[in-house]
């Protein structure tokens, strides 16, 4: 599961990518950079204090930092097309929009207008999808003229594609028309861009770092307001100095935590937790996953030899004080294979191989 930072030239993507990952993408020839980002989770800190384990391991998500593009000339168009295959492989788009004053950084189209930039990005995504869908329709129609054995399947695909085509011509993103799982499976291999959830990041000046997150713009699943340059500065401070810096900015917690969590949720991911003297750890599974899927995440043997999942909700453990208290209160449940794991479940798998 990965998310892609996209946006026009110099909107602050690489600065933000560095701030969320703590890694600086190498400068030089523009290319796509892959970054592994730890998902902040306050629950891990609390459980670490409780269990004092040898190590603590956060959940990860992957981001790619995509070079910016400009649509104002042919070279920029070419550049955008060059990075499209990488963007198509991401499950989530994070549009980084310039909303900061900085006379030394030229603004795209000489404007600081994040809403207009987002509209322009959205139009480009719609256009790219229209091209993909149109090409695919042509191929399927051609194939339908030949005596192949796959006509039924192709006819079904064609119906979905035609619906997609019509929506795109009306500038409706595909996420709004291809909702059914079967439709999505039909087009899954095309990497359609307007089918992907999009989070909008308003990259503001540091004097606006305390702005609340705006309402998500149309067709976006989330919006975050942050100052990428300040986030980078914070990430470089020793942890003890961060609170004072944040207070100066007028914010309580780094925006990076908020952004990463929003992306994690928009990707449809949840965390379950394991605890013990060796390790306290967060594990990632798709929301709706069952106990066997969670077990497999740790080891295929645990899934194969699954007996039961001893489960307690994090909130219950906190309320009961410790595991002993949770057991006494009847909050430690014995769950079977088909149990749907909830975010924050603390699980101890019983298995036999
Ligand atoms: N004042 C201010 N400057 C910023 C902010 N974010 C980025 N910048 C500056 O804007 C310039 C471009 O930032 P990058 O992070 O390289 O932007 P980018 O989107 O990765 O650029 P491309 O990859 O070339 O499209 C740099 O000089 C940054 O220091 C911000 O929040 N405030
Ligand atoms: Mg960059």
């Amino acid at each position: 599961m990965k998310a892609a930072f996209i946006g026009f030239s110099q909107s602050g993507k690489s600065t933000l990518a560095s701030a969320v990952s703590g890694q600086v993408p190498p400068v030089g020839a523009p290319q796509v950079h892959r970054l592994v980002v730890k998902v902040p989770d306050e629950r891990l800190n609390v459980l670490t204090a409780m269990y004092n384990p040898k190590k603590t391991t956060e959940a990860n998500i992957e981001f790619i930092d995509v070079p910016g593009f400009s649509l104002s000339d042919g070279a920029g168009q070419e550049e955008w097309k060059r990075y499209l295959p990488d963007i198509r492989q991401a499950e989530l788009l994070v549009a980084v929009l310039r909303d900061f004053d900085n006379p030394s950084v030229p603004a795209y189209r000489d404007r600081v207008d994040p809403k207009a930039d987002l509209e322009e990005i959205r139009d480009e995504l719609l256009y790219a999808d229209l091209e993909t869908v149109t090409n695919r329709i042509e191929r399927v129609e051609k194939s339908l003229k030949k005596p192949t054995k796959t006509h039924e399947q192709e006819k079904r695909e064609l119906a979905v594609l035609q619906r997609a085509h019509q929506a795109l011509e009306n500038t409706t993103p595909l996420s709004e028309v291809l909702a059914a799982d079967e439709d999505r499976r039909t087009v899954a291999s095309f990497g359609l861009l307007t089918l992907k959830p999009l989070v909008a990041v308003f990259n503001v000046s540091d004097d606006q770092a305390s702005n609340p997150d705006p309402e998500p713009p149309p067709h976006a699943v989330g919006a975050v307001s942050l100052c990428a340059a300040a986030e980078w500065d914070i990430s470089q401070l020793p942890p003890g100095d961060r609170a004072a810096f944040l207070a100066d900015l007028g914010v309580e917690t780094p925006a990076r935590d908020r952004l990463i969590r929003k992306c994690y949720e928009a990707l449809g991911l949840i965390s379950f937790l394991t605890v013990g003297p060796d390790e306290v750890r967060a594990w990632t599974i798709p929301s709706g996953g069952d106990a066997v899927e969670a077990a497999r995440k740790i080891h295929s043997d645990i899934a194969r030899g699954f007996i039961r999942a001893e489960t307690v909700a994090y909130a219950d453990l906190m309320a009961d004080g410790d595991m002993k208290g949770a057991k006494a209160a009847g909050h430690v449940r014995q769950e079977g294979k088909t149990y749907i794991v909830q975010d924050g479940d603390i699980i101890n798998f019983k298995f036999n191989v």
Side-chain angles (χ1 to χ4, degrees):
M1 291 298 237
K2 67 182 170 206
F5 286 121
I6 61 165
F8 293 120
S9 308
Q10 305 280 286
S11 67
K13 298 173 293 299
S14 298
T15 307
L16 185 59
S18 311
V20 296
S21 66
Q23 301 152 256
V24 186
V27 283
Q31 63 181 81
V32 173
H33 293 291
R34 180 180 167 276
L35 305 149
V36 177
V37 172
K38 289 179 180 170
V39 179
D41 191 336
E42 179 53 26
R43 297 172 297 198
L44 286 181
N45 303 340
V46 174
L47 292 170
T48 296
M50 196 181 251
Y51 285 89
N52 198 19
K54 292 196 193 102
K55 70 174 177 182
T56 301
T57 310
E58 294 95 342
N60 285 328
I61 41 176
E62 194 181 329
F63 281 91
I64 55 169
D65 176 28
V66 181
F69 56 96
S70 152
L71 297 172
S72 55
D73 58 50
Q77 296 266 1
E78 283 306 307
E79 219 173 341
W80 158 240
K81 294 228 168 85
R82 184 143 40 95
Y83 299 122
L84 266 180
D86 289 296
I87 301 172
R88 286 194 202 288
Q89 283 177 27
E91 281 89 4
L92 171 71
L93 305 180
V94 181
V96 180
L97 308 166
R98 171 158 182 172
D99 201 4
F100 58 86
D101 300 317
N102 186 343
S104 61
V105 179
Y108 177 66
R109 293 197 193 278
D110 294 322
R111 69 182 181 208
V112 176
D113 187 343
K115 293 217 165 99
D117 286 354
L118 182 59
E119 279 298 302
E120 200 177 334
I121 290 171
R122 204 174 75 81
D123 286 348
E124 213 46 38
L125 300 175
L126 286 163
Y127 186 73
D129 279 355
L130 188 59
E131 210 170 71
T132 307
V133 168
T134 306
N135 289 340
R136 186 69 200 169
I137 287 178
E138 267 174 35
R139 284 184 57 178
V140 176
E141 280 177 340
K142 237 185 230 162
S143 170
L144 275 170
K145 290 198 185 111
K146 292 182 205 148
T148 58
K149 284 187 186 147
T150 48
H151 277 188
E152 279 316 306
Q153 192 189 328
E154 282 164 348
K155 275 188 205 153
R156 272 199 302 277
E157 184 184 338
L158 190 60
V160 176
L161 290 169
Q162 279 166 339
R163 211 148 33 88
H165 192 268
Q166 197 181 7
L168 293 165
E169 282 201 315
N170 293 325
T171 68
T172 305
L174 295 176
S175 55
E176 281 169 31
V177 290
L178 302 185
D181 285 351
E182 201 187 326
D183 293 348
R184 285 180 183 248
R185 267 197 302 275
T186 305
V187 299
S189 61
F190 308 145
L192 292 165
L193 300 164
T194 64
L195 205 51
K196 302 179 192 298
L198 182 142
V199 171
V201 174
F202 291 80
N203 185 14
V204 298
S205 305
D206 57 2
D207 59 356
Q208 289 170 46
S210 61
N211 284 6
D213 288 340
E215 282 296 307
H219 313 297
V221 297
V224 177
S225 171
L226 55 76
C227 172
E231 290 297 320
W232 167 247
D233 291 342
I234 295 165
S235 73
Q236 293 308 292
L237 289 174
D241 295 352
R242 286 183 192 162
F245 191 93
L246 288 169
D248 260 1
L249 286 172
V251 298
E252 270 174 38
T253 52
R256 70 177 284 278
D257 296 5
R258 225 163 58 232
L259 172 67
I260 297 166
R261 282 228 72 92
K262 260 190 201 175
C263 291
Y264 197 66
E265 283 158 24
L267 282 164
L269 301 174
I270 59 166
S271 300
F272 72 90
L273 312 163
T274 52
V275 295
D278 287 331
E279 191 179 28
V280 163
R281 180 162 179 167
W283 304 81
T284 303
I285 55 164
S287 154
D290 62 23
V292 176
E293 188 169 351
R296 188 172 305 112
K297 195 76 207 181
I298 301 177
H299 202 286
S300 56
D301 283 351
I302 304 181
R304 207 152 39 83
F306 184 97
I307 300 171
R308 61 181 190 274
E310 226 172 61
T311 306
V312 55
Y314 175 80
D316 284 341
L317 181 69
M318 290 302 112
D320 299 332
D322 57 16
M323 202 52 92
K324 223 172 134 194
K327 279 189 180 141
H331 283 145
V332 180
R333 295 168 269 126
Q334 306 299 327
E335 301 288 1
K337 287 184 175 178
T338 57
Y339 169 69
I340 302 300
V341 175
Q342 305 296 309
D343 184 58
D345 275 351
I346 298 165
I347 305 184
N348 178 18
F349 289 101
K350 301 289 176 190
F351 65 107
N352 183 9
V353 283

